[in-house]
Amino acid sequence: MAARSSAGDGALRRAAEQWLLWDKNPKTSAIVKQLVAEGNVRELQKYFGSRMEFGTAGLRAAMGAGISHMNDLTIIQTTQGFCRYLEKNFSDLKKRGVVIGFDARAHLSSGGSSKRFARLAANTFISQGVPVYLFSDITPTPFVPYTVTHLKLCAGIMVTASHNPKQDNGYKVYWENGAQIISPHDKGISQAIEENQEPWPQAWDDKLIDSSPLLHDPYATVNKEYFKDIQKQCFHRNINKETNLKFVHTSVHGVGHKFVQLAFKAFDLSPPFAVPEQKDPDPEFPTVKYPNPEEGKGVLTLSFALAEKDGAKIILANDPDADRLAVAEKQESGEWKVFSGNELGALLGWWIFTCWKKHNRDTHAIKDVYMLSSTVSSKILRAIALKEGFHFEETLTGFKWMGNRAKQLMDQGKAVLFAFEEAIGYMCCPAVLDKDGVSAAVITAEMASFLATRNLTLSQQLKAVYDEYGFHITKASYFICHDPKVIQQLFDNLRNFDGRNTYPKSCGRFKVSGIRDLTTGYDSSQPDHKAILPTSKSSQMITFTFANGGVATMRTSGTEPKIKYYSELCAPPGNSDIEQLKKELDELVNALEKHFFQPEKNNLQRKTE
């Protein structure tokens, strides 16, 4: 045992010494030098135990030293691999080039920041003769896929960790079609990173890019063109000009403030009141525990206070990279209702279809209209599509799937009006094949302004949507688990519930009527028992259908130590006993937690508000 440990220690030491030969960032190299001098194996294991995995979401990890963190050297290595992979795939890479954007994250102790990482990435490409469109200032994430499509580039990189905690950063990659990469590109890039670890001769000299003719700044052009393109989704300019409705906007210390102000201007809406303490970028996120509007009312405390002060009825909240949107509305009771991602998805889906229908008199056009949502999101769009006559498709979880599918459909001459996922992500505008919190914010504001002219609130309209298309009650949450073995065991138990290879037949009093396991590819509802959606052995995902019409999915998160669940109860139009439906879903969720998650036995930590 001791011999193997010392061999492991030797490998760690070698990895650290190799690192020190290559790392020219004084802060990260000083950290590693000290650990090597102290022989601190435990800490070295943390930094050099395993390289960050490059997946379809790119990279996401804490900033710091070593191969398991985001830092100057790992960014150089990643970009070298990505560059070689692109050279292999595009003969015209040196003509077309790539775009690189960044958010406002920074990490003092390791000297890392999104801007620095973006510059090092740009330097890597330029050193190989590849043109780079590097934004000169922070931008929302959706501007990168927009630029790829708009300028017909080969790829895009966004340096951001979205709504993760402040110590994290990320490296998100888009393909030439303007959508996030899907397999096998992740594997190909990962392989190329392994093969290109030694920094190229000019890798560290990022000052070289400033005088290079290959460096372009797309900031001004994209700002102009993006706002021009989203105006195609503006249908009620006269109402926007006249509305008395007031909005509060928060960018939660991220990049969104300026861009949402410009979007309101593009739609002829008066600018929203900005939460002063949160409107400017701040990598410390000082006013919130988590910079994630999905976490509920805690993130919106300052927004509620400003709305009360200024008499605003609606709050629009972006996450720090402005690709997601949360919305809250003041109710007649004086309480604030924060809409779930599924509820806002229902409203935006209804609204975007209503606007399309009004402007398309050709009755045949509807056969080419599509809406998409992910498999763990509400099926409300399916209900609307069935009644109205357009197409609905579900994809795997994540906008990479919806963006790529939308592009395929658009290339076939179809109109993809809208796509959403329950994690407050919305694609309202075909110019961006990814979630976009900027266009979603201004389209929500126009919808609310229009409804106000009919004396309707967003909440009342949501009820009207459910009255017409059937109630869709959803409930989602998660447990935190830092031990991959426990997570594996939990899902193995579900696959061998009553003996080997048997799934549960019931969950408490709820009878299971169908099972789809997208980890193994099993689907009980298909004649050959094979799932239609793509499967992935590297992530856990099982969906249970219940005899009462309920559906529940359990899955692991690709970017956080969470086991998530999503549940929904759908009723046909006319079933208006919403309280009974809510009670039934609550009982189903309680049974799911008790029998399938077993939080006490598995030592799982519940989501806390």
Side-chain angles (χ1 to χ4, degrees), residues 467-483:
D467 283 339
E468 186 166 353
Y469 302 107
F471 275 95
H472 288 60
I473 314 294
T474 60
K475 198 170 183 182
S477 191
Y478 59 79
F479 289 95
I480 293 169
C481 181
H482 291 280
D483 186 346

Side-chain angles (χ1 to χ4, degrees), residues 389-521:
F390 61 88
H391 298 272
F392 165 75
E393 282 190 15
E394 69 170 15
T395 71
L396 286 180
T397 314
F399 258 90
K400 61 189 175 201
W401 298 106
M402 283 181 275
N404 278 286
R405 181 61 183 143
K407 182 71 172 92
Q408 283 177 346
L409 289 165
M410 286 156 66
D411 287 347
Q412 294 163 21
K414 312 296 184 193
V416 180
L417 297 188
F418 178 59
F420 90 96
E421 63 179 1
E422 50 66 50
I424 63 173
Y426 313 96
M427 184 183 111
C428 304
C429 172
V432 176
L433 295 177
D434 198 10
K435 54 187 179 284
D436 179 356
V438 178
S439 59
V442 74
I443 289 167
T444 300
E446 179 172 88
M447 167 171 64
S449 303
F450 173 85
L451 290 170
T453 65
R454 307 286 196 273
N455 290 321
L456 287 168
T457 63
L458 292 173
S459 306
Q460 288 166 334
Q461 182 54 43
L462 180 64
K463 186 176 182 311
V465 170
Y466 287 148
D467 283 339
E468 186 166 353
Y469 302 107
F471 275 95
H472 288 60
I473 314 294
T474 60
K475 198 170 183 182
S477 191
Y478 59 79
F479 289 95
I480 293 169
C481 181
H482 291 280
D483 186 346
K485 286 198 191 76
V486 170
I487 294 174
Q488 185 65 50
Q489 185 64 51
L490 187 153
F491 281 93
D492 284 348
N493 285 345
L494 291 171
R495 294 187 181 103
N496 303 280
F497 205 74
D498 299 313
R500 195 163 158 68
N501 291 331
T502 59
Y503 292 89
K505 294 183 177 64
S506 63
C507 181
R509 72 174 179 85
F510 298 97
K511 192 171 175 307
V512 174
S513 60
I515 285 155
R516 183 185 66 189
D517 186 336
L518 289 180
T519 307
T520 63

Side-chain angles (χ1 to χ4, degrees), residues 79 98-102 117-119 121-123 125 132-135 144 155-159 218:
T79 311
V98 299
V99 55
I100 302 176
F102 55 92
F117 295 162
R119 282 182 61 85
N123 185 43
F125 279 106
V132 173
Y133 294 80
L134 172 68
F135 281 97
V144 168
I157 297 165
M158 179 69 191
V159 184

